[in-house]
Amino acid sequence: MATTPALPTRPLGSTGPQTAALGLGCMGMSGMYGETDRAESIATIHAALDAGITLLDTGDFYGMGHNELLIGEALRTAPAGRREQTLTSVKFGALRTVEGGFTGYDGRPNAVKNFAAYSLQRLGTDHIDIYRIARVDPDVPIEETVGAIAELIEAGHVRHVGLSEVGADTIRRAASVAPIADLQIEYSLISRGIEEAILPVTRELGIGITAYGVLSRGLISGHYTRDRELAPGDFRGMSPRFQGENLRHNLDLVETLRKIAEQKGVSVAQIAIAWVLAQGEDIVPLIGARRRDRLTEAIGSVDVALDAADLTAIERAVPADAAAGDRYPAAQMAHLDSER
């Protein structure tokens, strides 16, 4: 087995594990953005592990278990040394229909333990490294849900508690029950809502951030075009930021960013990811690459050095709140405790 390249590492909070500075978000390998390629998905996971990425992020509802099975297969067929270095981050709680619709969330303690049992079976592992409810169940206090995860830790089935898309008050309530390794939440140049109230609390409490949507589902990757035709079922077909005048406005922002990237001799995606990396050592961006070429591009962001002048230029090109459209449709925004 070849020696793993030395990617920089970061801690997931003061109580969580050390991980590579980039993680791999695997959701897109099980739908959400159109057709998927199983062989290429597994090859991409293997390439990520070979490149030194250690954190694989998934959800038990991605493809109704498909994503966990995919990761399980990738881990079984990876060299033993790579498997041993891998950290699994799993979201649970979303309830789905046969047709793929979402009907709510279940954070009851018995449900938490049930979800975990199925995830362990699909992943083929004896523990989950970080376990989190995807969205807060409005009918169950967060203390009860986190308490159930803490019991799974005591039993040896889970290593760390994580949170997902929760606001400052919920973070404090959860942290009163058990140590929290990280908060998973959307954070990018055009999604900066955490900066005002959420990020100060996570930093006060020593909780890390795993940032998803760092390229806003491809919108600020530099590869998305106005005339792109989306496959049936592609999430972006109903995402406000990808619609009509919103899309035109947002892609204009990307072109402004492209000029800065070209001056530095890097791609738009690389400078967008590098900006997230530069926001603090407590932040680990999750890259959603589904193909090896996109993975290679994203990993290159680690070598992009941004000085104060670069950061000023980037934020002048894409100011906070510059994006047009919410990050989710209204019905899904209503489920975000982080937006209240």
Side-chain angles (χ1 to χ4, degrees):
M1 182 177 67
T3 302
T4 301
L7 278 181
T9 62
R10 295 183 168 186
L12 286 184
S14 59
T15 63
Q18 196 83 4
T19 182
L22 295 175
L24 182 64
C26 300
M27 179 184 74
M29 298 176 182
S30 298
M32 294 298 289
Y33 302 123
E35 291 295 320
T36 61
D37 182 328
R38 187 178 190 85
E40 180 62 22
S41 295
I42 291 174
T44 300
I45 294 172
H46 286 168
L49 300 181
D50 288 344
I53 286 176
T54 52
L55 181 66
L56 300 181
D57 182 77
T58 185
D60 63 10
F61 50 93
Y62 293 168
M64 284 83 148
H66 175 277
N67 205 241
E68 289 181 322
L69 290 168
L70 184 78
I71 290 173
E73 181 178 346
L75 292 177
R76 285 195 307 274
T77 53
R82 301 286 190 251
R83 290 198 302 273
E84 293 164 3
Q85 296 168 358
T86 301
L87 301 169
T88 52
S89 169
V90 178
K91 291 178 290 298
F92 67 87
L95 305 176
R96 303 194 67 176
T97 65
V98 174
E99 293 76 22
F102 287 87
T103 60
Y105 297 89
D106 192 342
R108 295 172 300 163
N110 283 342
V112 173
K113 295 170 185 178
N114 177 76
F115 290 135
Y118 281 91
S119 285
L120 289 168
Q121 179 68 26
R122 287 187 290 258
L123 290 166
T125 57
D126 62 3
H127 71 275
I128 296 165
D129 291 286
I130 309 152
Y131 203 45
R132 69 188 88 237
I133 191 165
R135 302 287 186 268
V136 173
D137 182 343
D139 297 323
V140 179
I142 192 64
E143 292 88 344
E144 293 184 16
T145 302
V146 169
I149 301 174
E151 291 178 8
L152 287 168
I153 292 173
E154 291 177 7
H157 304 310
V158 170
R159 296 282 168 82
H160 302 279
V161 180
L163 297 171
S164 174
E165 285 289 356
V166 298
D169 290 343
T170 304
I171 294 169
R172 291 190 185 280
R173 289 169 52 201
S176 72
V177 176
I180 308 297
D182 70 321
L183 165 66
Q184 187 173 123
I185 196 163
E186 187 166 355
Y187 188 43
S188 73
L189 267 170
I190 63 171
S191 296
R192 297 176 59 180
I194 72 170
E195 293 176 345
E196 182 176 350
I198 292 174
L199 195 54
V201 171
T202 59
R203 286 176 169 165
E204 174 194 337
L205 299 177
I207 297 170
I209 297 287
T210 42
Y212 75 89
V214 293
L215 296 179
S216 197
R217 298 165 183 82
L219 181 59
I220 60 172
S221 67
H223 302 297
Y224 203 91
T225 59
R226 288 183 176 87
D227 59 355
R228 180 167 179 171
E229 293 187 9
L230 298 175
D234 191 316
F235 168 82
R236 292 168 292 195
M238 61 178 182
S239 171
R241 290 183 174 175
F242 288 83
Q243 309 306 312
E245 186 62 22
N246 287 350
L247 179 62
R248 184 205 62 76
H249 171 86
N250 293 331
L251 290 181
D252 284 346
L253 294 175
V254 174
E255 290 311 305
T256 306
L257 185 61
R258 191 187 303 277
K259 295 175 183 176
I260 299 172
E262 289 174 347
Q263 290 172 357
K264 290 192 69 69
V266 301
S267 72
V268 176
Q270 287 171 336
I271 205 164
I273 299 169
W275 180 86
V276 178
L277 283 165
Q279 300 314 300
E281 290 290 318
D282 55 340
I283 299 173
V284 175
L286 297 173
I287 54 177
R290 296 189 291 166
R291 303 185 339 227
R292 284 167 285 182
D293 58 338
R294 294 287 191 249
L295 173 71
T296 299
E297 179 186 25
I299 290 174
S301 65
V302 172
D303 298 321
V304 178
L306 300 177
D307 61 22
D310 292 326
L311 293 170
T312 297
I314 291 168
E315 294 181 23
R316 185 180 296 122
V318 187
D321 300 322
D326 287 334
R327 55 195 182 99
Y328 285 100
Q332 294 185 35
M333 288 291 290
H335 289 291
L336 297 178
D337 182 80
S338 55
E339 294 288 337
R340 293 173 188 159

